[in-house]
Amino acid sequence: MNVVHLSNMPVAGSPYFLSEAMNKYLKVNSRCIQECNGYGDGRVFPHDLLYGDQGAIDYIKDADVVFVHNSVKPLVYQLLEGKRVVLLCHSEPSRVSSKVADMADDIAVVAQYQPRLYDDTEFALFPNIIDIYDKRFLPARKGEYLTVGFSPSNTNKWPEGYKWNNKGHEETLKVLQESGVRYALYTRQPFESVIKERAQCHIVIDELVTGSYHRVTLEAASHEQMVLNAVDKMTYRVICEITGCGTLPSFVTDLEGLRSVLGDLKSGARTGEWVESEGIRARTWMQNHWDPKTLLERFFVPLMTGKNVKKYKHKQLFAGLCKGPL
């Protein structure tokens, strides 16, 4: 089966890493074709092909299945006719192509904060794939001194009432600066350098202001690091659907909780052994519940074939929230 992943933006590397994992774990020939693989602020992600590269259009023409990540260039629309098209929504509805949604055979939404926003759409869920056995995501030797890593994808101040792209950069940095705990801030840098350097930290902060989690949580958990996020009940609900379990790899807290955790570490009330055990727990959780081959077979093979796709409606998904640690 020939599979092509199309996206305009890097989408934090998700299309590329998903395509890479499909080639490794499934019997498919997968390529990833993008408009660009970086942003103007210095964030650059690994990539396969760009639209202008030789042979890129031919791969689209020869594809049996096309996964569109949020949106595609208009010139591609006609190339999608007669193919199985799956729209993978990584963002809120306003940032996803309505044209592709109309022509898609199936629509799936990433199992993070996003499903709560798709209240008028029948959709499947999909996990953000992390190949926990890839050398990029294996546990690395940690630094000599306990260090907290924070790598927000943006440092913007967002208008009141808009929250989903907010990483809480300013507020989180203030807590880190006041804590007296060693920390490392990674912004506006290529992915490959961030992932290598951040893996040496003992604790990683995803973000503590929206109620979601992101690839950072999965990457850090795979790296056997204690990872902090502020997952809320609606996000927890969709994780339950992906894993079938009632636990999380992260330590769930907010900004005030971060202040408390760092204060305990500084005073000695909590120790490095506790941090290490949380990291081991996170990696074990990923091995048990986020195995890439298992997730690809459960969620992406049905989307590729159109068989046994589990679909949800908003009210159905969130009618009864999971009982658990939140």
Side-chain angles (χ1 to χ4, degrees), residues 241-276:
E241 283 297 309
I242 297 297
T243 65
C245 77
T247 61
L248 298 170
S250 56
F251 184 89
V252 178
T253 188
D254 55 15
L255 286 167
E256 282 306 307
L258 172 64
R259 193 183 302 277
S260 176
V261 167
L262 297 182
D264 285 349
L265 288 169
K266 185 68 175 175
S267 69
R270 291 186 186 269
T271 66
E273 286 76 15
W274 173 66
V275 172
E276 182 180 4

Side-chain angles (χ1 to χ4, degrees), residues 53-88:
D53 289 344
Q54 185 176 359
I57 299 302
D58 290 332
Y59 281 116
I60 301 174
K61 291 178 179 178
D62 293 340
D64 301 301
V65 180
V66 177
F67 286 96
V68 174
H69 297 257
N70 281 355
S71 60
V72 291
K73 292 170 66 71
L75 65 85
V76 176
Y77 292 152
Q78 62 182 9
L79 300 179
L80 302 183
E81 294 178 5
K83 304 181 184 302
R84 177 164 177 78
V85 177
V86 180
L87 175 61
L88 299 183

Side-chain angles (χ1 to χ4, degrees), residues 97-114:
S97 170
S98 58
K99 173 76 172 179
V100 177
D102 290 339
M103 64 194 309
D105 295 283
D106 275 307
I107 297 173
V109 180
V110 67
Q112 295 172 187
Y113 74 84
Q114 292 85 339

Side-chain angles (χ1 to χ4, degrees), residues 109-119 121-126 233-242 310-322:
V109 180
V110 67
Q112 295 172 187
Y113 74 84
Q114 292 85 339
R116 73 189 72 192
L117 305 178
Y118 287 79
D119 52 356
T121 304
E122 185 178 57
F123 57 84
L125 290 173
F126 73 92
K233 287 187 176 181
M234 294 182 83
T235 300
Y236 178 67
R237 176 72 180 94
V238 297
I239 297 174
C240 286
E241 283 297 309
I242 297 297
K310 187 175 182 179
K311 299 180 182 180
Y312 299 85
K313 290 187 177 179
H314 188 273
K315 289 183 179 179
Q316 171 200 1
L317 181 59
F318 295 114
L321 296 179
C322 289

Side-chain angles (χ1 to χ4, degrees), residues 113-253:
Y113 74 84
Q114 292 85 339
R116 73 189 72 192
L117 305 178
Y118 287 79
D119 52 356
D120 296 322
T121 304
E122 185 178 57
F123 57 84
L125 290 173
F126 73 92
N128 219 329
I129 295 294
I130 300 285
D131 184 358
I132 63 175
Y133 305 108
D134 183 282
K135 62 181 181 181
R136 300 180 184 96
F137 304 114
L138 290 174
R141 185 186 180 102
K142 307 300 187 287
E144 181 179 358
Y145 300 103
L146 190 143
T147 305
V148 180
F150 183 40
S151 56
S153 59
N154 71 76
T155 58
N156 302 337
K157 295 185 69 172
W158 295 90
E160 187 175 352
Y162 181 81
K163 75 185 231 179
W164 296 118
N165 275 338
N166 184 8
K167 304 304 178 185
H169 165 259
E170 188 174 293
E171 307 96 305
T172 306
L173 188 57
K174 184 174 186 291
V175 174
L176 288 169
Q177 291 170 337
E178 293 174 349
S179 71
V181 173
R182 184 186 297 264
Y183 70 90
L185 178 67
Y186 307 98
T187 61
R188 303 182 179 92
Q189 298 175 48
F191 171 86
E192 294 286 9
S193 63
V194 170
I195 201 74
K196 184 177 181 179
E197 293 179 24
R198 196 186 64 203
Q200 299 172 54
C201 296
H202 302 76
I203 300 173
V204 172
I205 299 170
D206 185 333
E207 56 93 348
L208 305 176
V209 295
T210 72
S212 188
Y213 73 102
H214 310 273
R215 284 187 65 91
V216 171
T217 285
L218 302 172
E219 292 164 357
S222 186
H223 280 144
E224 204 170 83
Q225 295 165 294
M226 179 178 180
V227 54
L228 311 181
N229 61 33
V231 165
D232 64 17
K233 287 187 176 181
M234 294 182 83
T235 300
Y236 178 67
R237 176 72 180 94
V238 297
I239 297 174
C240 286
E241 283 297 309
I242 297 297
T243 65
C245 77
T247 61
L248 298 170
S250 56
F251 184 89
V252 178
T253 188

